[in-house]
Amino acid sequence: MADEPTLVLGAGPAGLTAAYVLGKAGHKAVVLEADRQVGGLAKTVEIDGFRFDLGGHRFFTKAHEVEALWHEIMGDEFLLRPRMSRIYWNGRFLDYPLRGPDVIRKLGPVELTRCVGSYAKAALSPKRQEDSLEDWVSNRFGRRLFELFFKTYTEKVWGVPTSEIRAEWAAQRIKGLSFTSAARAAFFGNRGNKVKTLISEFHYPRYGPGQMWEAMAQRIEDEDGEILLDTPVELIELEDGRVVGVEAAGCTYRPEAVISSLPLRDVVAMTQPRPPAEVVAAARGLRYRDFLTVALVVSGDDLFPDNWIYIHEPSVRVGRIQNYRSWSPWMVPDPEKACVGLEYFCFAGDDLWSMTDDELVEFASAELEQLGLARSGQVERGFAIRVPKAYPIYDADYAERVATIRAWLETIENLQQIGRNGLHRYNNSDHSMLTALRAVDNLLAGVGHDLWAVNAESAYHEESVPAEHPYRNAPETPELQASRG
């Protein structure tokens, strides 16, 4: 490599990992980040001492090099925490992972009989053609258990009926969990965490996931790297199949190589000369599911002991509620206050996204009261935090669109895309870090890793399974409609 630094676009888990490993190898990296803080989708927001984890980031992985890197960065600040999460259904809490005695007691004899009968019917006479998640789950758990524990939450997450979510996607995302395995785990435990969905403990930084990325950022700067915040990338200049310039916040950088975690749609839009028309069209067609958290400070004790609870009540729009103190006691500075985060899955530009912060706090407080978890008068204050492009949407056309963009990217010899939005893949932070590690290998050792093949599930299950998309017919998002108008 030449003396010029490597430019890293984006200071989320993927970008910071790339810069950190480059620094350890003696190669300077300059990180350009549009936000005022590092961490990307995994940052921790801090307001008046209260810390908010945006999405709930359990640190659990079977990628050993990622696990080692976490411990290398955090040391004693990396706490081992017990997992506790439950399902809120019909005004009751059911333990999750499911426990046999708890399910029997909470469902009651009538509902339990309906569930067992529904499962028996599905087992004896399954639907032969599985077109949707609804079909797939009903065949394996019975229609009644599908309605109780899969339908409502899944529809909140993805914004469409479960009949519009593909069976293949269900088969991948619920891999390893069946009626039999769930029942076995319910009565005998999930030995060895064999089913990823049912892990019982995880690591977590003392002050939230953002502490990991802030510590990594400090290490990068200690190795003579630079992290420039409030520095959005505005233009990527190409010449003869190479990136020769990157403009950001009024400055132009001349890199030897670029590692980018920016969304594919943005990379295509800001590149000059303009990419071919089919690439531009493919990028404009990429969709995202967005997300927002309304953090509420509530007077009194914690509202529940769980890390989070899944809300399976169709009468409210909140999908999940976090209890930040349960993640780490250091997240909440006042022992006389509770702090919870109500999570809403949405599309940028829809009615939820367009509410003012005050309206969102009022709305979330009312839903908290409707669920019976707190009186609205107990809420002392609240904060709304929006997370754009939180989940890349895998619609029926996404694979073709990404392939078109990828073919164009492969003509640019010194640019690599990494991370969740950089590859338009539904990766967790550990998988995003893995793409960064492979990209640095490519850059320094010329080994030729295919970053698009770093699969979200293979890191857990040690098998190669192509990612499936959830939507049979993806919804038209307000943001996409506006871009076409």
Side-chain angles (χ1 to χ4, degrees):
M1 286 180 59
D3 294 334
E4 292 88 347
T6 296
L7 275 188
V8 177
L9 311 184
L16 290 175
T17 299
Y20 175 67
V21 177
L22 282 167
K24 285 182 65 178
H27 295 276
K28 180 175 179 177
V30 175
V31 183
L32 307 180
E33 170 56 49
D35 203 352
R36 299 177 186 175
Q37 71 178 98
V38 299
L41 299 176
K43 69 183 178 183
T44 299
V45 175
E46 187 271 330
I47 302 176
D48 297 336
F50 291 92
R51 290 178 168 83
F52 317 126
D53 180 351
L54 306 181
H57 291 83
R58 297 187 180 113
F59 286 75
F60 173 81
T61 186
K62 290 186 179 178
H64 300 301
E65 57 199 304
V66 172
E67 176 88 15
L69 189 54
W70 284 341
H71 286 278
E72 177 181 322
I73 295 296
M74 293 307 302
D76 293 341
E77 292 294 287
F78 208 31
L79 310 177
L80 185 62
R81 301 293 297 160
R83 168 181 172 150
M84 183 179 181
S85 56
R86 288 179 293 173
I87 294 169
Y88 186 89
W89 162 80
N90 198 27
R92 302 173 183 176
F93 292 94
L94 283 84
D95 291 345
Y96 188 80
L98 298 173
R99 292 190 307 107
D102 182 68
V103 172
I104 292 170
R105 184 174 68 254
K106 300 288 178 57
L107 289 182
V110 174
E111 190 61 71
L112 188 65
T113 300
R114 293 180 67 184
C115 290
V116 171
S118 177
Y119 169 70
K121 180 180 178 181
L124 292 172
S125 180
K127 187 173 182 179
R128 292 187 179 275
Q129 184 171 337
E130 296 178 338
D131 293 323
S132 67
L133 178 144
E134 186 171 319
D135 299 334
W136 192 92
V137 173
S138 295
N139 267 356
R140 286 154 183 79
F141 292 85
R143 179 76 188 181
R144 188 58 184 166
L145 280 172
F146 159 74
E147 291 173 345
L148 295 181
F149 301 125
F150 291 90
K151 176 178 169 63
T152 297
Y153 183 75
T154 304
E155 291 181 347
K156 288 180 181 181
V157 170
W158 294 109
V160 297
T162 49
S163 60
E164 292 300 316
I165 296 178
R166 298 177 74 238
E168 294 89 343
W169 185 83
Q172 179 168 306
R173 298 306 298 185
I174 315 175
K175 177 179 289 294
L177 184 61
S178 64
F179 185 93
T180 302
S181 64
R184 186 184 300 116
F187 285 97
F188 302 108
N190 182 32
R191 296 177 182 176
N193 287 332
K194 291 182 180 178
V195 180
K196 176 173 72 76
T197 313
L198 305 179
I199 62 170
S200 59
E201 62 182 9
F202 56 90
H203 281 92
Y204 194 76
R206 187 183 305 273
Y207 293 106
Q211 185 182 9
M212 171 77 72
W213 316 121
E214 289 156 9
M216 188 177 284
Q218 184 60 57
R219 298 280 193 97
I220 291 167
E221 292 177 336
D222 291 344
E223 294 286 351
D224 199 32
E226 293 182 57
I227 299 175
L228 305 177
L229 303 179
D230 283 317
T231 308
V233 175
E234 297 152 351
L235 185 143
I236 299 172
E237 181 185 356
L238 302 182
E239 185 177 302
D240 297 328
R242 293 180 59 84
V243 177
V244 295
V246 174
E247 293 185 11
C251 295
T252 299
Y253 301 85
R254 302 294 180 187
E256 175 65 19
V258 177
I259 296 177
S260 166
S261 62
L262 301 183
L264 283 179
R265 196 166 72 186
D266 295 349
V267 169
V268 171
M270 65 179 59
T271 298
Q272 293 294 332
R274 186 179 175 88
E278 65 272 16
V279 176
V280 173
R284 285 178 175 170
L286 294 179
R287 297 176 172 91
Y288 301 87
R289 185 72 165 151
D290 307 289
F291 173 86
L292 62 86
T293 291
V294 183
L296 302 178
V297 177
V298 182
S299 61
D301 297 330
D302 286 336
L303 308 186
F304 48 83
D306 313 64
N307 308 120
W308 62 35
I309 54 175
Y310 300 94
I311 307 300
H312 284 241
E313 290 289 333
S315 61
V316 294
R317 295 180 67 175
V318 61
R320 206 165 54 183
I321 306 178
Q322 295 195 52
N323 173 17
Y324 295 115
R325 197 195 312 272
S326 232
W327 289 94
S328 167
W330 287 269
M331 297 283 281
V332 181
D334 189 337
E336 297 183 357
K337 312 290 183 190
C339 189
V340 295
L342 284 77
E343 300 178 351
Y344 295 90
F345 305 93
C346 52
F347 290 114
D350 69 12
D351 62 324
L352 273 175
W353 189 268
S354 301
M355 286 185 186
T356 66
D357 288 5
D358 288 343
E359 288 171 339
L360 282 169
V361 169
E362 183 179 354
F363 182 81
S365 300
E367 292 212 327
L368 198 65
E369 182 171 45
Q370 183 178 339
L371 291 168
L373 295 174
R375 300 184 310 277
S376 60
Q378 289 180 263
V379 177
E380 296 188 355
R381 52 182 167 154
F383 315 95
I385 303 106
R386 293 166 177 79
V387 184
K389 296 184 176 67
Y391 304 100
I393 285 180
Y394 293 8
D395 58 32
D397 300 317
Y398 99 97
E400 182 179 351
R401 290 185 176 117
V402 170
T404 298
I405 299 168
R406 177 182 176 179
W408 167 74
L409 286 169
E410 288 176 349
T411 68
I412 308 171
E413 63 176 270
N414 65 339
L415 171 64
Q416 296 184 86
Q417 286 287 125
I418 60 173
R420 174 181 282 197
N421 283 333
L423 298 169
H424 202 79
R425 300 196 64 138
Y426 186 21
N427 286 339
N428 294 327
S429 58
D430 58 332
H431 308 124
S432 295
M433 293 174 70
L434 205 55
T435 65
L437 295 175
R438 299 294 177 261
V440 173
D441 283 345
N442 289 345
L443 186 61
L444 300 186
V447 292
H449 290 298
D450 181 0
L451 305 183
W452 307 83
V454 179
N455 184 264
E457 289 303 303
S458 64
Y460 284 111
H461 300 289
E462 299 180 356
E463 56 183 289
S464 180
V465 180
E468 294 289 350
H469 56 79
Y471 295 108
R472 296 174 68 194
N473 296 290
E476 285 286 309
T477 67
E479 185 182 35
L480 188 61
Q481 293 169 347
S483 70
R484 289 172 175 166

